[in-house]
Amino acid sequence: MTKKVIIVGGVAGGATAAARLRRISEEIDIILVERGEYISFANCGLPYYVGETIKDRNKLLVQTVEGMSERFNLDIRNLSEVENIDPEEKTVTIKNLQTGEVYKETYDKLLLSPGARPIVPPIPGLDENQALFTLRNVPDTDRIKNYVDTQKPEKAVVIGGGFIGIEMAENLVDRGIEVTIIQMANQIMAPIDFEMASILHKHLKEKGVNLILENSVQAFADQGKQVILLDGTEIQTDMTILSIGVRPENELAKTAGLELGERGGIIVNDYLQTSNQDIYAVGDAVEVVDYINGKKAMIPLAGPANRQGRIAANNIMGKNEKYQGTLGTSIAKVFDLTVAATGNNEKTLKRLGVAYEVVHIHPSSHAGYYPGAAPIALKLIFDKETGKIFGAQAVGADGVDKRMDVIATAIKGNLTVEDLTNLELSYAPPYSSAKDPVNMAGYVATNIMLGDLEQIQWHEVDQVVADGGLLIDVREPKERENGYIPGSINISLNDLRENLDEIPKDQTVYVSCQVGLRGYLASRILKNNGFDVKNVDGGWKTYSSVYGVN
Amino acid sequence: MTKKVIIVGGVAGGATAAARLRRISEEIDIILVERGEYISFANCGLPYYVGETIKDRNKLLVQTVEGMSERFNLDIRNLSEVENIDPEEKTVTIKNLQTGEVYKETYDKLLLSPGARPIVPPIPGLDENQALFTLRNVPDTDRIKNYVDTQKPEKAVVIGGGFIGIEMAENLVDRGIEVTIIQMANQIMAPIDFEMASILHKHLKEKGVNLILENSVQAFADQGKQVILLDGTEIQTDMTILSIGVRPENELAKTAGLELGERGGIIVNDYLQTSNQDIYAVGDAVEVVDYINGKKAMIPLAGPANRQGRIAANNIMGKNEKYQGTLGTSIAKVFDLTVAATGNNEKTLKRLGVAYEVVHIHPSSHAGYYPGAAPIALKLIFDKETGKIFGAQAVGADGVDKRMDVIATAIKGNLTVEDLTNLELSYAPPYSSAKDPVNMAGYVATNIMLGDLEQIQWHEVDQVVADGGLLIDVREPKERENGYIPGSINISLNDLRENLDEIPKDQTVYVSCQVGLRGYLASRILKNNGFDVKNVDGGWKTYSSVYGVN
Ligand SMILES: Cc1cc2nc3c(=O)[nH]c(=O)nc-3n(C[C@H](O)[C@H](O)[C@H](O)COP(=O)(O)OP(=O)(O)OC[C@H]3O[C@@H](n4cnc5c(N)ncnc54)[C@H](O)[C@@H]3O)c2cc1C
Ligand SMILES: Cc1cc2nc3c(=O)[nH]c(=O)nc-3n(C[C@H](O)[C@H](O)[C@H](O)COP(=O)(O)OP(=O)(O)OC[C@H]3O[C@@H](n4cnc5c(N)ncnc54)[C@H](O)[C@@H]3O)c2cc1C
Ligand SMILES: CC(C)(COP(=O)(O)OP(=O)(O)OC[C@H]1O[C@@H](n2cnc3c(N)ncnc32)[C@H](O)[C@@H]1OP(=O)(O)O)[C@@H](O)C(=O)NCCC(=O)NCCS
Ligand SMILES: CC(C)(COP(=O)(O)OP(=O)(O)OC[C@H]1O[C@@H](n2cnc3c(N)ncnc32)[C@H](O)[C@@H]1OP(=O)(O)O)[C@@H](O)C(=O)NCCC(=O)NCCS
């Protein structure tokens, strides 16, 4: 029987597990060991405290050591580090970081929720950099905020265009700082695909951020005042944020002989048990199963960490709850836009060799006639044969989170793209349209499954035109003034029926419009008149988000 | 084979069907007959044009007769009424309302989407009322707006507290008018339950609306300047909106001998076919199957009308698509709040004798430490034995639509309340919490299923106390200054463990707090110490939303 549980790490996974353990039993001893001063803090809020959107530092501390000890009758030992695990003896060695005292503590069950730490590569000049920061916890935040408050930097470089990098960029801009983001890949925000990220690239530039893609840092010079890029570019800066990703805090697990995965994550079974049955592990430190493709993955997010903490607590107390894997639903605010994703993206499916189909639509967040509606770029990725939803991505100023959550829920309910058309979502003009964007994505995807709509993608169209394909832009002539796909000819949708004679029947005809809808209507007219026709998915809007306005 | 389709009604269901029919075939003749001047207008936007949130009247016209005729090659006959159907002959009689001409038109398939009309009961003085309005279409809206613009009424009475009544009340207030709502039931907004509506009652009063419940209009006097209520109250007004509900436009169907349901709705099968196989019907005029309880229902909403229009078009063209029934997800803006619901409410389940359990929670729309978070009152109704979700309701200033849509999707995916805990919803501080409100509702409901949480409802607690039950308020003493449940004693959660000796073990102990969370924590402590304990669901917040602050 479990009588004494030791938890390593007192934030998302650890604190949640501690609270849940106590709710299950009043009898067990629960020792929560945390290296830092603070437990249960709001990691996800940290960038916004730097940017002063969150003004009160205390708000970052969701629970205090005192408060949580009292409420949950916990033995919380902060500023204490677990240095070693002896799985044979079932003891841990703890170092009191204030006194230096080192002592052993026995356990019946041990739970590891040590999180992850920012990756810091051995960049030349790094040690001499006087203004280099990473961001993981409250002290990191204090350091950055203090630097900004007192040193009043004018320029900052953010290395890495992931969630934390982008959030930091925005918050530094909010402090009046000129920000340059340096990103090694050709896009920011890895969970989404390139054409979706392109919308963000444009937005960042509009907000004055200097975005440098496909480049990386070769060295720091002048005590960090100079950042030298791989291609030789030299950037002057007053501070640098290094946010190129995290790696699991796996040292304890490694030395204890627990199995680790390829990417260094602690391996756990469905019950979140490590290779030692008395040791559980959760959160950023563990390898999870990707809910869509069943492969191993590292997905460092707060929701999964919290959920896993509760499940591990249940299992420690003898329940038998399985963790279902991680879907990876994620979201970020990027200035005036929101970007969100769920499930697998094209890049992942391509890598795994999975056949998939995608649709891009650009619906309004709510009825266009009611003020405040904003377009959403919504991408749905699915299996053309079965209708299974592989994933979705969205970017827009309003209503993005809702649509992503609906699709994430649909995935968990095993709904197909056709089922999306039958979702009954709440509609009044301030909130949606009678056909919600998610319904609409479902319609388009279903039409593809049924063969009623054939399409080509933004990245295929230039080649089609180069190869002599006939591309008809069915928008109104006036709309073309704002840009069009090179090589397209113009026959507006309303003139199409009268001009069928001019269109060749012996070759595939391609149509495009602003967002894809009129192209679809044109394709129906043409198909029903015996033409072989394909629509440019997402229309000019998706195409131009990548290639810009010509 | 279908060669000629006539559609009666050119708005939500009818226009959608026409567009879809044309997308399926370029060959058939499609005649769209509409009594009014306008087709394809935004019914749902009408109140906001009166209130001038929507400023441009043209925005209400989603499609024009010309635009739609051209694009979809339709024969649109507006200002034309179908007066009669001869199902034997397969003809309809159409009257041109401009010329008075009456003629016959044959059809292969007929689609009825005639909608519904506002109920106007024979109230004495109604015919003499010079300023009585109902709202269904553009001319109605023009009449109301013109009256407000030119007559500058100071006072208005809205009869009926449903969606349209409440939206009109808000929009008239926006025009500076003093509004009184008269509602026969003890609550407004029938899709939600009383305690949830109570939050809206309070909000309406805060916004200066005079809300009169459990009363109705006996007569109008003084050409409508006086409204006399059942209890004798006399109200002076400059205008009156009558919005007590709609009834199906079923006259055509009735005289054609089509089967009608008890409530007058046209009866259709799963394929939206009426009792005559060549006549289909959709929208507000038809009786649907309630998705949750399988009973017949009238659910006049735009989403279902649009969806049905598309399905009927498919079936007319020989596809075999079933309509899955209507879940009834609905939403409305009520000044600064949003109210939404999906599935069945308690009232319905009670009427049907279905056993159910409910939970009320009051989470934040997003992380409390990020600005702009607002509480959501969220109610989940489910089957305690199977975890099946029967319905949900929510009221709040932010994030209500999202949670309702997620739950509506979960219902369509046959997810249980336990599955709600495993939904992976998008989390960053501006959008949600690591455990989203929907996850949280799932946790609480699952705890009830497992017996880990027992509770009583807001309407039971007074009786419990009156019968001598011990009710412990586990909030801090200071919180009680803002009100508490009469008869409760106070032992704050953090003091509970030290005061267990004072609590009797031979009777059920009741606990309550602000929202239910600390009550749950207290109940766990007590249960694990051998007490029999029940928590007041939703805490003081749910209780006081009904009983007010004492
Ligand atoms: C700036 C920032 C923004 C973020 N924003 C989001 C967001 O918007 N949405 C989202 O879903 N996720 C976000 N995340 C990620 C999220 O915070 C993590 O996924 C989550 O906190 C992981 O929980 P965990 O318990 O595994 O690790 P943590 O919460 O990091 O907790 C691990 C704790 O263990 C302690 N520890 C480690 N080793 C030892 C040891 N040997 N002895 C004692 N203590 C030890 C550490 O000091 C640390 O406090 C963000 C993270 C950061 C840093
Ligand atoms: C003010 C208002 C606000 C609303 N707000 C919302 C909302 O926020 N969300 C929501 O989901 N729903 C809302 N609705 C309801 C929604 O508009 C209806 O459910 C939907 O329009 C029903 O579609 P329908 O095709 O059945 O009927 P309608 O859209 O009403 O179309 C029926 C048409 O048929 C015509 N017609 C009838 N008989 C004949 C005949 N014999 N010959 C020729 N023509 C005929 C009528 O003139 C009418 O134009 C609102 C309705 C109103 C009036
Ligand atoms: C603060 C913290 C310790 C709270 O953990 P917790 O007690 O498990 O979580 P909550 O306070 O949200 O309460 C959830 C519990 O209350 C119950 N509950 C919530 N609302 C309730 C209500 N209205 N009525 C009854 N029960 C309720 C839930 O069922 C759940 O209990 P269970 O797990 O036993 O089923 C933990 O979430 C934490 O450390 N958070 C900050 C760190 C972090 O997550 N960082 C990353 C994100 S920024
Ligand atoms: C305006 C109206 C006639 C449009 O009907 P519609 O053409 O069926 O609807 P939409 O314009 O939204 O287009 C939907 C079609 O375009 C397709 N589509 C939408 N976006 C697309 C895109 N980006 N790429 C390809 N196809 C797309 C959909 O698949 C669907 O086609 P399908 O039904 O053949 O599958 C009808 O909705 C209407 O009358 N509305 C106003 C009345 C009303 O609804 N009132 C109540 C609410 S206020």
Side-chain angles (χ1 to χ4, degrees):
Chain A
M1 228 191 72
T2 302
K3 293 227 173 94
K4 183 170 172 189
V5 180
I6 295 182
I7 300 173
V8 184
V11 193
T16 301
R20 175 66 184 166
L21 282 171
R22 179 57 74 224
R23 285 193 289 270
I24 299 175
S25 167
E26 279 289 296
E27 301 201 336
I28 58 167
D29 292 322
I30 306 169
I31 302 175
L32 185 70
V33 188
E34 166 57 53
R35 182 163 55 201
E37 180 179 353
Y38 303 106
I39 58 156
S40 186
F41 61 84
N43 324 50
C44 319
L46 303 178
Y48 298 96
Y49 176 64
V50 173
E52 296 188 336
T53 294
I54 298 171
K55 297 208 166 59
D56 179 0
R57 183 173 177 280
N58 278 324
K59 287 208 170 167
L60 298 174
L61 310 174
V62 181
Q63 273 280 8
T64 61
V65 171
E66 300 67 39
M68 191 138 175
S69 302
E70 191 174 14
R71 174 145 303 168
F72 294 100
N73 188 22
L74 304 175
D75 179 351
I76 302 182
R77 306 187 188 169
N78 62 332
L79 293 168
S80 297
E81 179 162 10
V82 173
E83 290 195 315
N84 197 46
I85 305 169
D86 186 333
E88 297 292 307
E89 227 184 52
K90 294 178 76 173
T91 59
V92 296
T93 309
I94 302 175
K95 179 175 188 175
N96 182 323
L97 298 176
Q98 289 177 288
T99 62
E101 182 200 0
V102 176
Y103 58 99
K104 279 194 181 181
E105 194 71 64
T106 61
Y107 64 80
D108 292 319
K109 302 282 176 190
L110 180 64
L111 172 63
L112 307 179
S113 189
R117 65 160 62 103
I119 296 172
V120 181
I123 303 171
L126 188 135
D127 290 340
E128 294 76 38
N129 194 324
Q130 301 282 312
L132 182 73
F133 304 92
T134 57
L135 178 61
R136 179 75 194 178
N137 51 34
V138 178
D140 291 345
T141 313
D142 288 338
R143 266 189 293 276
I144 299 172
K145 179 136 197 312
N146 182 51
Y147 186 87
V148 172
D149 290 349
T150 61
Q151 304 301 309
K152 309 218 181 296
E154 285 173 13
K155 294 173 184 212
V157 164
V158 173
I159 307 174
F163 287 83
I164 297 176
I166 298 298
E167 285 176 358
M168 278 310 298
E170 174 173 353
N171 278 288
L172 292 174
V173 168
D174 282 353
R175 297 296 306 269
I177 300 169
E178 204 185 305
V179 175
T180 299
I181 299 174
I182 296 158
Q183 164 72 342
M184 202 180 318
N186 66 348
Q187 63 161 95
I188 62 166
M189 293 287 177
I192 61 173
D193 290 310
F194 178 69
E195 80 283 13
M196 301 297 287
S198 297
I199 305 170
L200 299 176
H201 297 167
K202 181 158 172 270
H203 188 63
L204 285 174
K205 286 172 197 161
E206 282 165 4
K207 292 289 165 181
V209 173
N210 180 19
L211 179 63
I212 300 178
L213 296 170
E214 300 183 85
N215 213 332
S216 60
V217 176
Q218 197 189 110
F220 298 109
D222 194 12
Q223 299 188 322
K225 287 265 171 201
Q226 198 174 63
V227 182
I228 302 157
L229 303 190
L230 209 62
D231 70 352
T233 310
E234 293 175 4
I235 301 174
Q236 298 302 316
T237 188
D238 301 316
M239 66 185 290
T240 298
I241 307 278
L242 188 60
S243 51
I244 57 172
V246 295
R247 57 182 186 77
E249 289 254 16
N250 61 10
E251 291 74 10
L252 262 186
K254 196 189 286 175
T255 56
L258 302 181
E259 261 184 68
L260 301 183
E262 269 178 39
R263 298 176 197 75
I266 304 171
I267 291 185
V268 291
N269 63 16
D270 285 353
Y271 301 96
L272 302 173
Q273 235 162 354
T274 66
S275 53
N276 180 305
Q277 64 163 11
D278 294 318
I279 307 179
Y280 290 75
V282 300
D284 289 1
V286 308
E287 207 178 67
V288 294
V289 171
D290 181 300
Y291 186 83
I292 298 291
N293 62 46
K295 306 272 186 253
K296 293 288 186 176
M298 300 296 300
I299 304 179
L301 290 169
N306 271 269
R307 184 167 296 111
Q308 292 161 19
R310 187 178 187 275
I311 293 174
N314 282 348
N315 292 339
I316 283 172
M317 296 309 291
K319 304 191 193 243
N320 260 299
E321 189 177 350
K322 282 192 185 182
Y323 180 67
Q324 301 184 344
T326 302
L327 190 54
T329 311
S330 61
I331 191 164
K333 178 179 172 317
V334 183
F335 290 91
D336 306 339
L337 295 179
T338 297
V339 52
T342 188
N344 283 179
N345 58 27
E346 277 199 74
K347 291 175 292 193
T348 301
L349 295 169
K350 222 172 251 162
R351 180 164 48 76
L352 298 175
V354 177
Y356 63 85
E357 190 76 25
V358 317
V359 304
H360 295 86
I361 62 171
H362 299 273
S364 252
S365 58
H366 62 247
Y369 52 78
Y370 189 91
I376 298 175
L378 178 59
K379 175 176 182 174
L380 183 67
I381 311 174
F382 61 101
D383 181 343
K384 198 176 155 173
E385 303 308 318
T386 64
K388 177 187 156 116
I389 304 165
F390 289 138
Q393 302 163 32
V395 178
D398 180 43
V400 162
D401 54 335
K402 177 163 74 174
R403 276 56 184 221
M404 224 31 47
D405 284 359
V406 165
I407 296 175
T409 304
I411 290 175
K412 284 285 175 109
N414 278 318
L415 297 181
T416 64
V417 295
E418 192 182 346
D419 294 327
L420 294 185
T421 70
N422 290 317
L423 291 182
E424 234 184 275
L425 304 171
S426 48
Y427 165 57
Y431 308 99
S432 183
S433 297
K435 296 170 196 127
D436 186 85
V438 174
N439 298 136
M440 207 57 107
Y443 282 126
V444 181
T446 304
N447 288 339
I448 290 172
M449 284 184 71
L450 296 173
D452 291 340
L453 167 62
E454 293 180 74
Q455 53 178 23
I456 56 168
Q457 288 299 319
W458 58 271
H459 53 82
E460 297 170 320
V461 62
D462 282 348
Q463 191 59 48
V464 159
V465 173
D467 292 349
L470 172 66
L471 175 63
I472 307 174
D473 183 346
V474 300
R475 295 177 301 167
E476 298 302 311
K478 234 186 99 153
E479 294 176 81
R480 283 171 61 90
E481 290 170 16
N482 298 319
Y484 56 85
I485 302 174
S488 58
I489 65 156
N490 186 213
I491 306 176
S492 82
L493 174 57
N494 287 350
D495 296 337
L496 197 61
R497 286 193 185 85
E498 294 129 48
N499 288 283
L500 294 179
D501 292 350
E502 289 168 29
I503 302 169
K505 273 209 166 152
D506 58 349
Q507 63 181 78
T508 301
V509 175
Y510 300 87
V511 291
S512 74
C513 66
Q514 185 66 15
V515 297
L517 199 167
R518 281 174 289 166
Y520 165 61
L521 299 181
S523 87
R524 293 306 307 158
I525 293 172
L526 290 169
K527 227 182 185 100
N528 284 329
N529 278 291
F531 293 86
D532 183 33
V533 56
K534 293 190 173 162
N535 187 26
V536 177
D537 182 37
W540 169 248
K541 223 164 173 183
T542 296
Y543 179 91
S544 65
S545 61
V546 175
Y547 299 113
V549 175
N550 47 6
Chain B
M1 225 190 74
T2 302
K3 293 226 173 95
K4 182 171 171 187
V5 181
I6 296 182
I7 300 173
V8 184
V11 192
T16 301
R20 175 66 183 166
L21 282 171
R22 180 57 73 223
R23 286 193 289 269
I24 299 175
S25 166
E26 279 289 296
E27 303 203 332
I28 58 168
D29 293 322
I30 306 169
I31 303 175
L32 185 70
V33 189
E34 166 57 52
R35 184 165 53 202
E37 180 179 353
Y38 304 106
I39 57 156
S40 188
F41 60 84
N43 325 50
C44 318
L46 303 178
Y48 298 96
Y49 176 63
V50 173
E52 296 187 335
T53 294
I54 298 171
K55 297 209 166 57
D56 179 0
R57 183 172 176 282
N58 278 325
K59 287 210 171 167
L60 298 174
L61 310 174
V62 180
Q63 273 280 8
T64 61
V65 172
E66 299 68 38
M68 190 138 176
S69 302
E70 190 175 15
R71 174 146 302 170
F72 294 101
N73 187 21
L74 303 176
D75 179 350
I76 301 182
R77 306 186 189 170
N78 61 333
L79 293 167
S80 296
E81 179 162 10
V82 173
E83 289 195 315
N84 197 47
I85 305 170
D86 185 334
E88 296 294 307
E89 229 183 51
K90 293 179 77 171
T91 59
V92 294
T93 309
I94 302 175
K95 180 177 187 174
N96 181 324
L97 298 177
Q98 289 177 287
T99 63
E101 181 200 0
V102 175
Y103 58 99
K104 280 194 182 180
E105 195 70 65
T106 61
Y107 64 80
D108 292 320
K109 302 282 176 189
L110 179 64
L111 172 62
L112 306 178
S113 188
R117 66 161 60 103
I119 295 172
V120 181
I123 302 171
L126 188 133
D127 290 338
E128 294 75 40
N129 195 326
Q130 301 282 313
L132 182 72
F133 304 92
T134 56
L135 178 61
R136 179 75 193 177
N137 51 33
V138 178
D140 292 344
T141 313
D142 288 338
R143 266 190 292 276
I144 299 173
K145 179 136 197 311
N146 183 49
Y147 186 87
V148 172
D149 290 350
T150 61
Q151 304 301 308
K152 310 221 179 294
E154 285 173 13
K155 295 176 184 209
V157 164
V158 173
I159 307 174
F163 286 84
I164 296 176
I166 298 298
E167 285 176 359
M168 278 310 298
E170 174 172 353
N171 279 288
L172 293 174
V173 168
D174 282 354
R175 296 296 306 269
I177 300 170
E178 203 184 306
V179 175
T180 298
I181 299 173
I182 296 158
Q183 164 73 340
M184 202 181 318
N186 66 348
Q187 64 160 94
I188 62 166
M189 294 287 178
I192 61 174
D193 291 309
F194 178 70
E195 79 284 12
M196 301 298 286
S198 298
I199 304 170
L200 300 176
H201 297 167
K202 181 159 173 269
H203 188 63
L204 285 174
K205 287 173 197 161
E206 282 164 4
K207 292 289 166 181
V209 173
N210 180 20
L211 179 64
I212 300 178
L213 296 170
E214 298 182 87
N215 214 332
S216 61
V217 176
Q218 198 189 110
F220 298 110
D222 194 10
Q223 299 188 320
K225 288 266 170 199
Q226 198 174 64
V227 182
I228 302 156
L229 303 190
L230 209 62
D231 70 352
T233 311
E234 293 174 2
I235 302 175
Q236 298 303 316
T237 188
D238 302 317
M239 67 184 291
T240 298
I241 306 278
L242 189 58
S243 51
I244 58 172
V246 295
R247 58 182 186 75
E249 289 253 15
N250 61 10
E251 291 74 10
L252 262 186
K254 197 189 283 173
T255 56
L258 302 182
E259 262 185 66
L260 301 182
E262 269 178 40
R263 297 176 198 77
I266 304 171
I267 291 186
V268 291
N269 63 17
D270 285 353
Y271 300 95
L272 302 173
Q273 235 163 354
T274 66
S275 53
N276 181 304
Q277 64 164 8
D278 293 318
I279 308 179
Y280 290 75
V282 301
D284 288 2
V286 307
E287 206 178 68
V288 295
V289 171
D290 182 299
Y291 187 84
I292 298 291
N293 63 46
K295 305 273 185 256
K296 293 287 184 176
M298 300 296 298
I299 303 179
L301 290 169
N306 271 270
R307 184 167 297 113
Q308 292 162 19
R310 187 178 187 276
I311 292 174
N314 282 349
N315 293 338
I316 284 171
M317 297 308 291
K319 305 191 194 244
N320 259 300
E321 189 177 351
K322 282 193 187 184
Y323 181 66
Q324 303 184 343
T326 302
L327 190 54
T329 311
S330 63
I331 191 164
K333 177 177 171 321
V334 182
F335 291 90
D336 306 340
L337 295 179
T338 298
V339 52
T342 188
N344 283 180
N345 58 28
E346 277 198 73
K347 290 175 292 193
T348 301
L349 295 169
K350 221 171 249 164
R351 182 165 46 77
L352 298 176
V354 177
Y356 63 84
E357 191 77 25
V358 318
V359 304
H360 296 86
I361 62 171
H362 299 273
S364 253
S365 57
H366 62 247
Y369 52 79
Y370 189 91
I376 298 174
L378 178 59
K379 176 177 182 174
L380 183 67
I381 311 174
F382 61 100
D383 181 342
K384 197 175 156 175
E385 302 308 319
T386 63
K388 176 186 156 115
I389 303 166
F390 290 137
Q393 302 163 31
V395 178
D398 180 43
V400 161
D401 54 336
K402 176 163 77 174
R403 275 59 185 220
M404 223 32 47
D405 284 358
V406 166
I407 296 176
T409 304
I411 290 175
K412 284 283 175 108
N414 278 319
L415 297 182
T416 64
V417 295
E418 192 181 347
D419 294 327
L420 294 184
T421 69
N422 289 318
L423 292 182
E424 232 183 277
L425 304 171
S426 49
Y427 166 56
Y431 307 99
S432 183
S433 297
K435 295 170 196 128
D436 185 85
V438 174
N439 298 137
M440 207 56 109
Y443 282 126
V444 181
T446 304
N447 288 338
I448 290 171
M449 284 183 71
L450 297 173
D452 290 340
L453 167 61
E454 292 181 73
Q455 53 178 23
I456 56 168
Q457 289 299 320
W458 57 272
H459 53 83
E460 298 171 319
V461 61
D462 283 348
Q463 192 59 49
V464 158
V465 173
D467 292 349
L470 173 67
L471 174 62
I472 307 174
D473 183 345
V474 300
R475 296 177 301 167
E476 298 302 310
K478 232 185 100 148
E479 295 176 82
R480 284 172 60 91
E481 290 169 16
N482 298 319
Y484 55 85
I485 302 175
S488 59
I489 64 157
N490 186 214
I491 305 177
S492 82
L493 174 57
N494 287 350
D495 295 337
L496 197 62
R497 286 192 184 85
E498 294 128 49
N499 286 283
L500 294 178
D501 293 350
E502 288 168 28
I503 303 169
K505 273 208 165 151
D506 57 349
Q507 64 181 76
T508 301
V509 176
Y510 300 87
V511 290
S512 74
C513 67
Q514 186 67 13
V515 296
L517 200 167
R518 280 174 290 167
Y520 165 62
L521 299 182
S523 87
R524 294 306 308 158
I525 294 172
L526 290 169
K527 225 178 186 104
N528 284 329
N529 278 290
F531 293 86
D532 184 31
V533 57
K534 292 189 175 163
N535 186 27
V536 177
D537 181 37
W540 169 247
K541 226 167 169 180
T542 296
Y543 180 91
S544 65
S545 63
V546 175
Y547 298 112
V549 174
N550 46 10

